[in-house]
Amino acid sequence: MTQKLNNVKEFVNSIDTFIFDCDGVLWLGSTIVEKAVETLQYLRALKKDIKFVTNNSTKTREQFMEKIKSYGIECYLNEIYGSSFGTAIYLNKIGFNNKKVFIIGEYGLQKELNDQNIQTVKEVTRLNDGIDNVQNIQVESDIGAVVVGMDTCLTYQKAVYAHKAIVENNALFIATNTDTSYPIKNGKSIPGAGSIVSMISTSTAKQPIIIGKPETLLLDLIIEKDKLNRERTCMIGDRLDTDILFGINGNIKTLLVLTGISKLEEISQPNSPIIPNYYTDTVSDLLLHKE
Ligand code: PLP
Ligand code: CA
């Protein structure tokens, strides 16, 4: 059962760590949500612990921090958890070394992996059209993993390289995140990293290890590092199938805000599959704690 966030005072007092999804919660595209900055300032004044979690693999944590700061929001590097950073930590955790990673992804993914001493291959030599050309693509023998994230310069040739690495080299197959599409201006959308991941999982008939929300790897990193109490930790998000499911899978509290993708109708039916503990119109409703 979900409930409208009526008793803000009791709720805010019951939580020590607020984990924020950003787009749809704090800003919409490049427009800050009204009073979102004041809300974060207020939570900091109450000495609350704050984290930011993003599935966006195209930015490094530094870039993400700069974006957050550009809205006037106080923010520190160790508060940011992105799917590319999570991928690098995961690879180190499983003892992946001495091999290279082929990435279908952008600068943020490459940089986060390189910063953790993981070597990457990002480009495939451009070839002329034709199956005869692509079938000769040679995968370097030391490619031990393929990581697929958002890549706005995706080519069929990169897909062939990834496919061959997984099928012929038995490389690990990792997805930074599986968001099917991303909202853009005027209520429109574009294919997300998940649609690229689907291409590779369809061709190889293999399922990837998934790093981003709703999988709990990033949450486990946050909880382990700061020894957090799950009972007193809350995920605030705008999307049921990533943010809220992430919180549910990780056994923490969940608050859906209605400024982004998911709508009230989706949680008000008795058979809705993903139900947050609480919902509210906007993140700035937390300021009602003051009253
Ligand atoms: N990845 C990319 C490339 C995006 O542009 C977005 C949102 O715009 C996301 C992922 C989703 O990120 P988040 O988890 O911060 O909502
Ligand atoms: Ca979001």
Side-chain angles (χ1 to χ4, degrees):
M1 260 286 277
T2 188
Q3 53 176 298
K4 184 157 174 49
L5 188 62
N6 286 325
N7 194 338
V8 176
K9 202 157 204 120
E10 187 181 82
F11 168 71
V12 171
N13 290 347
S14 74
I15 301 296
D16 298 329
T17 302
F18 291 90
I19 305 180
F20 287 91
D21 164 58
C22 297
D23 196 71
V25 176
L26 301 177
W27 60 73
L28 298 166
S30 52
T31 312
I32 191 84
V33 167
E34 205 183 332
K35 297 225 172 100
V37 179
E38 291 88 330
T39 306
L40 282 161
Q41 273 165 351
Y42 183 67
L43 293 176
R44 288 207 189 270
L46 293 174
K47 299 266 176 288
K48 299 294 182 184
D49 180 31
I50 289 172
K51 304 280 188 262
F52 303 93
V53 175
T54 179
N55 270 1
N56 190 338
S57 66
T58 66
K59 286 191 168 58
T60 61
R61 286 183 307 153
E62 275 87 355
Q63 287 174 316
F64 208 70
M65 180 175 70
E66 290 312 319
K67 174 156 183 176
I68 294 172
K69 282 181 169 173
S70 75
Y71 290 108
I73 297 171
E74 183 185 342
C75 165
Y76 304 92
L77 198 61
N78 63 7
E79 295 175 334
I80 299 178
Y81 289 80
S83 61
S84 287
F85 173 68
T87 302
I89 299 294
Y90 174 78
L91 284 168
N92 277 342
K93 207 166 161 177
I94 62 167
F96 182 88
N97 52 21
N98 299 328
K99 290 224 166 187
K100 290 185 195 158
V101 175
F102 177 67
I103 61 176
I104 292 186
E106 300 193 359
Y107 168 80
L109 177 56
Q110 183 177 36
K111 178 84 168 67
E112 290 288 10
L113 294 185
N114 294 165
D115 283 355
Q116 300 290 328
N117 296 319
I118 299 163
Q119 291 182 67
T120 52
V121 174
K122 183 167 174 285
E123 301 303 333
V124 176
T125 315
R126 287 199 72 87
L127 300 166
N128 291 329
D129 289 358
I131 299 274
D132 287 346
N133 290 323
V134 289
Q135 66 183 298
N136 291 327
I137 289 175
Q138 294 290 328
V139 176
E140 292 174 52
S141 59
D142 56 354
I143 298 287
V146 170
V147 177
V148 182
M150 179 62 171
D151 188 342
T152 50
C153 292
L154 173 71
T155 61
Y156 184 79
Q157 292 163 22
K158 288 188 187 178
V160 170
Y161 196 104
H163 174 100
K164 281 176 159 251
I166 293 165
V167 173
E168 295 171 20
N169 280 28
N170 213 13
L172 273 178
F173 176 22
I174 298 174
T176 57
N177 63 303
T178 52
D179 300 43
T180 51
S181 62
Y182 300 126
I184 52 167
K185 288 182 198 129
N186 305 328
K188 297 181 178 171
S189 67
I190 52 172
S195 58
I196 305 176
V197 172
S198 292
M199 179 181 183
I200 305 301
S201 65
T202 300
S203 73
T204 59
K206 294 233 160 103
Q207 292 306 315
I209 295 152
I210 302 164
I211 304 295
K213 300 171 286 185
E215 299 302 317
T216 54
L217 186 129
L218 292 172
L219 184 61
D220 293 340
L221 282 181
I222 297 174
I223 301 241
E224 258 170 48
K225 184 162 170 285
D226 293 345
K227 306 275 174 289
L228 300 180
N229 176 351
R230 288 179 196 259
E231 269 288 303
R232 298 187 59 85
T233 301
C234 182
M235 175 71 201
I236 304 182
D238 69 306
R239 191 162 174 157
L240 290 167
D241 64 353
T242 53
D243 307 322
I244 301 305
L245 192 55
F246 173 75
I248 293 171
N249 288 343
N251 213 10
I252 60 172
K253 296 282 177 346
T254 52
L255 169 64
L256 177 75
V257 292
L258 299 171
T259 39
I261 292 183
S262 297
K263 301 290 162 224
L264 185 55
E265 301 82 81
E266 295 173 58
I267 54 169
S268 37
Q269 329 251 319
N271 56 354
S272 301
I274 304 168
I275 299 284
N277 295 110
Y278 306 97
Y279 69 91
T280 198
D281 292 332
T282 156
V283 72
S284 62
D285 289 340
L286 296 182
L287 287 172
L288 294 170
H289 178 267
K290 274 186 196 173
E291 291 166 10

